Amino acid sequence: MEELPRLPFDNPSVLGVAPRMRALQHEGPITPVQAAGEDAWLVTRYDEVRALLADRRLGLSNPYPARQAKTTARSTMMALMAGDDYETEAADHPQMRELLVPRFSTRRMRMMKSRIEQHVDELLDELAAGPPPADLHRALSFPLPTMVVCDLLGVPLADRERFGQWARGTFDQSDDGRHSAHTFQQVVDYTTELVARKRTEPGDDILSELIAAKDGSLSDEYIAQLGNAVLLFGYETTIVRIDLGTLLMLRNPEQRALLAEKPELAPAAVEEILRLAVGGKGSNALIPRYAHSDITVGDTVIRTGEAVLLAIGAANIDGHAYPDPDLMDITRDRPKSHLSFGHGTRHCIGRVLARIELTAVFERLFRRLPGLRLAVPEEELRWQEHRITGGFDEIPVTF
């Protein structure tokens, strides 16, 4: 019997979809693979990925959990999304969204816009004032989303650095999960204590609003869980996309020059960054799901309980959906919606906020630092494969 392709696929580049992933996409929309110790169906084409993202027959939890291979970090992720238990997911996940979606209304996010822009201006001023070379990740990509999510949760300024570092460690899959479990427990302890404090000292933040929600009936433990979901899903992916977006722009000097000349193109540039932002072996471009009933995709039947990996990175460069799919073009004429924020009932709650943050960065970055460039060869950058979300720990730049 022929051995199944095994994820993650090697990638000779620090950016972009792995060649093996592209080859499988050309062969067909769905293929069996092995990933994280279990067999799975890998779906790579735009139409099929989009349809399955909206298909209620796919869930976060495995109907047969005894068969499932899980790391501590991935188990934590599923629990935060209220999708770790097949028996309760159908009720718990919609309740979580019902409570959090109003906290991320477009109106509220746009009210945060000026504060986010102020954060970006201050961070870029500090970066420009220092001597090159500097670490863009440490100077901008990490602190900005950390500031924003801490603003949302009402985390005191003095606690933000360690709070952010704990959050990063939660999705670390190395060391048999011990580091992930330890750092996540620190996040839980801190957030639970913060919720208790806000019961007597409420502020203009999400935790205070959740305390008052449902006639004050939500427990501190549950509110802390919701707060941790906001923290862990609301900032790590934005950090990664600022880093990847900068690298994509540096790879495309004509697009970078156009953006610096016309900052009003920043929203379109952000959509291209989101579409193309795949790093390393693609750990940030796969969405895991399980079939909760049989699903037919083309000539393939996905059976109940089988794992499905939705390759949003590959789908976003599907030539059937995008002309010149590998080309970064911030002037694309009415492109299809990319799938980086998902689609359908589990569309990312924080997508408006992420777009505001990314737009604020890329409106300013290359105007404020027109000579920005990498201080090391791109191949020396190290994508952190041990984290579920991937990402870099350092982006050395000069300007």
Side-chain angles (χ1 to χ4, degrees):
M1 184 175 177
E2 187 177 350
E3 187 176 350
L4 294 177
R6 186 184 297 271
L7 285 166
F9 299 140
D10 287 335
N11 193 355
S13 175
V14 74
L15 281 175
V17 173
R20 185 72 187 279
M21 183 79 75
R22 296 296 299 269
L24 291 174
Q25 184 184 58
H26 288 311
E27 292 175 12
I30 184 169
T31 188
V33 296
Q34 191 171 77
E38 63 184 343
D39 293 346
W41 293 104
L42 177 69
V43 188
T44 53
R45 291 188 181 172
Y46 181 92
D47 288 342
E48 287 78 10
V49 171
R50 188 175 188 271
L52 287 171
L53 282 167
D55 196 319
R56 293 179 179 274
R57 293 172 295 176
L58 275 186
L60 299 163
S61 57
N62 191 338
Y64 308 113
R67 304 178 188 173
Q68 185 175 348
K70 293 190 295 186
T71 65
T72 300
R74 193 163 294 281
S75 298
T76 298
M77 176 184 282
M78 293 300 106
L80 285 171
M81 295 173 71
D84 57 328
D85 188 332
Y86 177 71
E87 300 299 327
T88 62
E89 179 186 341
D92 289 353
H93 184 77
Q95 176 178 284
M96 181 195 77
R97 291 185 67 90
E98 177 190 345
L99 287 164
L100 289 182
V101 166
R103 267 83 237 176
F104 285 83
S105 67
T106 300
R107 177 178 174 274
R108 180 180 194 158
M109 295 301 101
R110 286 177 178 160
M111 288 174 64
M112 294 184 65
K113 183 172 181 286
S114 61
R115 183 166 177 80
I116 290 169
E117 291 172 343
Q118 180 183 348
H119 285 323
V120 174
D121 286 334
E122 290 172 352
L123 290 169
L124 289 178
D125 285 347
E126 290 176 17
L127 176 59
D135 180 2
L136 184 83
H137 175 85
R138 193 72 198 158
L140 175 66
S141 310
F142 176 78
L144 175 65
T146 304
M147 290 174 176
V148 172
V149 78
C150 287
D151 284 344
L152 276 173
L153 295 175
V155 175
L157 188 64
D159 296 340
R160 294 184 178 193
E161 172 73 16
R162 61 190 176 121
F163 197 49
Q165 292 294 350
W166 290 339
R168 296 216 88 187
T170 295
F171 290 153
D172 190 325
Q173 300 181 93
S174 61
D175 194 28
D176 295 326
R178 289 190 294 272
H179 181 60
S180 172
H182 175 67
T183 54
F184 181 59
Q185 188 58 52
Q186 290 176 301
V187 172
V188 170
D189 292 345
Y190 179 89
T191 312
T192 303
E193 179 184 329
L194 186 60
V195 171
R197 196 186 320 156
K198 287 185 179 297
R199 284 202 177 272
T200 57
E201 303 171 15
D204 183 16
D205 56 72
I206 285 178
L207 294 180
S208 297
E209 291 179 10
L210 289 169
I211 288 168
K214 301 281 187 182
D215 296 323
S217 62
L218 301 179
S219 69
D220 285 11
E221 180 183 23
Y222 185 56
I223 294 168
Q225 178 183 331
L226 294 173
N228 291 334
V230 170
L231 167 68
L232 295 169
F233 297 119
Y235 104 113
E236 179 70 22
T237 53
T238 307
I239 293 172
V240 173
R241 283 161 173 163
I242 293 172
D243 282 339
L244 288 174
T246 302
L247 295 179
L248 284 164
M249 280 295 171
L250 292 177
R251 271 193 177 187
N252 293 272
E254 291 182 1
Q255 297 290 294
R256 169 190 162 176
L258 180 60
L259 177 59
E261 178 188 348
K262 298 183 176 181
E264 66 272 17
L265 289 174
V270 165
E271 297 310 307
E272 280 290 87
I273 287 167
L274 289 166
R275 185 177 72 83
L276 296 169
V278 179
K281 296 181 180 181
S283 53
N284 71 316
L286 288 171
I287 295 180
R289 295 285 184 264
Y290 289 93
H292 286 189
S293 60
D294 291 357
I295 305 170
T296 301
V297 177
D299 297 328
T300 299
V301 178
I302 302 171
R303 299 296 182 188
T304 302
E306 291 184 331
V308 179
L309 295 170
L310 303 174
I312 55 173
N316 283 338
I317 55 165
D318 184 349
H320 298 94
Y322 299 96
D324 297 317
D326 295 302
L327 180 68
M328 185 176 204
D329 181 2
I330 66 176
T331 62
R332 283 185 183 271
D333 183 27
R334 291 176 295 180
K336 286 191 174 184
S337 298
H338 59 75
L339 303 176
S340 299
F341 289 128
H343 174 69
T345 57
R346 290 197 174 97
H347 209 179
C348 175
I349 291 171
R351 61 190 181 276
V352 173
L353 178 60
R355 284 183 166 114
I356 290 171
E357 291 180 66
L358 292 168
T359 299
V361 168
F362 291 105
E363 275 178 344
R364 291 162 172 76
L365 180 59
F366 296 109
R367 285 189 297 154
R368 186 69 181 82
L369 299 170
L372 186 74
R373 62 192 185 278
L374 285 177
V376 297
E378 187 183 272
E379 57 268 22
E380 290 187 15
L381 301 177
R382 293 289 173 260
W383 182 260
Q384 303 301 310
E385 296 291 345
H386 60 279
R387 283 202 296 265
I388 290 176
T389 50
F392 301 97
D393 284 340
E394 185 180 21
I395 304 284
V397 295
T398 189
F399 41 86

